[in-house]
Amino acid sequence: MDKNILIVIGVVVVVTAGIVGAVLLTNQNNIKPTPAPQGIVLFYSPDCPHCKVVEDFISQNNIDQKVKYTRLEVPFGTKTSPELQANAELAIKEAQACKIDISQGLSIPFLWDGKNCYIGEVDVINFFKA
């Protein structure tokens, strides 16, 4: 009798594992990459001092209420993740479209308006002023 109970438990475990595995695979195949943002994109890091200057300007001048844009965090220092890495790859792609030399890396804050690139706090702030 104990042998039959062990067999039933084993079958239940195997079937449950199969169902869980199938659900996980189905959900994984349904994951769609986040589409690239359209329009103005500000690449920044909360740990970047130049980005902080831009963030302060945006806050003090209510830029969020005047200009529609997307903020994307990128790796800075040792902080990284797959999401931040994907954002960095997008920033690099846009910088290359502007023919910016990225052989030494890409400075932030970095703003892409859909056509043009703006690098550094002065250029980004001047963009928002205009």
Side-chain angles (χ1 to χ4, degrees):
M1 190 69 130
D2 290 332
K3 190 177 189 182
N4 289 337
I5 292 174
L6 289 175
I7 291 173
V8 169
I9 291 172
V11 168
V12 169
V13 168
V14 169
V15 169
T16 302
I19 291 170
V20 169
V23 168
L24 289 175
L25 282 175
T26 300
N27 287 341
Q28 185 177 18
N29 290 336
N30 289 333
I31 295 173
K32 295 178 180 148
T34 304
Q38 300 295 313
I40 301 168
V41 182
L42 175 62
F43 297 95
Y44 77 102
S45 171
D47 302 323
C48 161
H50 301 286
C51 299
K52 174 77 170 116
V53 171
V54 170
E55 291 293 328
D56 289 345
F57 172 83
I58 288 170
S59 176
Q60 292 166 2
N61 293 281
N62 299 314
I63 299 298
D64 288 338
Q65 296 171 6
K66 300 173 186 174
V67 179
K68 183 179 178 186
Y69 68 98
T70 302
R71 295 171 70 236
L72 292 179
E73 184 178 352
V74 295
F76 186 81
T78 59
K79 185 178 180 182
T80 191
S81 72
E83 180 181 311
L84 297 182
Q85 204 55 42
N87 293 345
E89 289 172 15
L90 178 60
I92 289 169
K93 176 183 152 210
E94 304 306 0
Q96 289 172 329
C98 289
K99 303 197 183 327
I100 294 173
D101 178 13
I102 57 167
S103 61
Q104 301 297 315
L106 180 60
S107 296
I108 56 173
F110 171 69
L111 187 133
W112 165 254
D113 72 359
K115 293 181 183 177
N116 302 302
C117 296
Y118 304 87
I119 298 176
E121 64 189 77
V122 172
D123 286 349
V124 172
I125 288 172
N126 284 338
F127 172 84
F128 283 124
K129 281 181 178 179

